[in-house]
Amino acid sequence: MAKDKRRKIGEIAPEFCLTEADGSTVCLSYLLKEKKHILIYFSQTEEKRRCDRSECPLKENLEKIMDLGVTVLVIDPDPIEEHKRFKHDHNIRFHLLSDPDMKVIKGYGVYEKISVHGIEKEKIVSTVFLLDPEGRIVQVWEPRVIEDNIDDIINTVKKLRGI
């Protein structure tokens, strides 16, 4: 992972505007006006593919966080059309944002370079950032999948929100 480039606890999260599944633009600065904690999950595409019609751990776990009053954003490089289908198929309430050129992903330093058959590629390293209502990073996790750290994330949110 580009650990030296990854955003760290205490830093102000970099601004970004990305396209949501419905075609609207979502900007971090706009969401911060709501004065809520924000969870940004840079997700590998494979996590969405683990969902089937009866179970979707990504949705179930992120909605637990939303139920605590946290705005949840999932960012990956998948195209908007795929996001739209996924949101519809699984009745997703959280923001699902497309970063096809990986500018935001790279800006947060949550990628690694890998070699596949001698060809260098960039791959997302699943990473969760929790921001306070002012946009400061207060916690970072690197789960392989979201359920790896869901209890710790929920406990951290509860503690920060005094719940």
Side-chain angles (χ1 to χ4, degrees):
M1 173 144 74
K3 284 194 186 278
D4 58 326
K5 295 180 181 179
R6 187 184 79 189
R7 297 300 172 158
K8 296 171 182 51
I9 293 172
E11 292 181 345
I12 295 294
E15 169 64 7
F16 60 82
C17 293
L18 291 172
T19 305
E20 168 71 80
D22 65 4
S24 64
T25 299
V26 174
C27 296
L28 180 60
S29 58
Y30 180 77
L31 294 174
L32 287 169
K33 291 178 183 177
E34 296 174 0
K35 295 294 181 194
K36 294 168 63 174
H37 283 85
I38 297 174
L39 183 129
I40 304 173
Y41 181 31
F42 290 94
S43 172
Q44 294 182 16
T45 299
E46 295 80 30
E47 182 145 10
K48 288 194 317 233
R49 293 195 180 123
R50 293 175 54 230
C51 296
D52 62 26
R53 292 285 180 193
S54 63
E55 184 178 292
C56 186
L58 178 68
K59 174 190 177 189
E60 293 155 10
N61 286 299
L62 292 178
E63 287 188 355
K64 289 177 190 176
I65 297 166
M66 289 178 67
D67 291 343
L68 296 172
V70 175
T71 300
V72 173
L73 313 174
V74 174
I75 300 173
D76 69 31
D78 291 343
I80 295 166
E81 299 78 31
E82 196 169 312
H83 284 179
K84 187 175 188 176
R85 186 171 36 258
F86 181 76
K87 279 191 93 159
H88 176 267
D89 289 351
H90 298 285
N91 194 28
I92 301 293
R93 295 187 296 141
F94 53 80
H95 295 282
L96 188 53
L97 306 175
S98 179
D99 186 16
D101 56 11
M102 293 183 50
K103 282 186 181 176
V104 176
I105 292 163
K106 290 178 184 177
Y108 276 72
V110 294
Y111 67 98
E112 63 185 357
K113 293 185 179 187
I114 59 171
S115 181
V116 179
H117 305 294
I119 299 170
E120 193 171 275
K121 293 184 164 198
E122 293 172 327
K123 176 186 171 196
I124 294 173
V125 175
S126 294
T127 308
V128 176
F129 292 90
L130 181 61
L131 312 182
D132 69 14
E134 286 73 46
R136 187 168 311 280
I137 298 168
V138 294
Q139 190 60 264
V140 180
W141 294 270
E142 291 180 26
R144 187 179 58 77
V145 292
I146 194 68
E147 56 263 33
D148 288 350
N149 289 95
I150 194 65
D151 291 336
D152 189 35
I153 294 169
I154 289 171
N155 290 333
T156 300
V157 167
K158 285 180 175 180
K159 183 177 177 184
L160 289 170
R161 299 210 56 237
I163 298 174

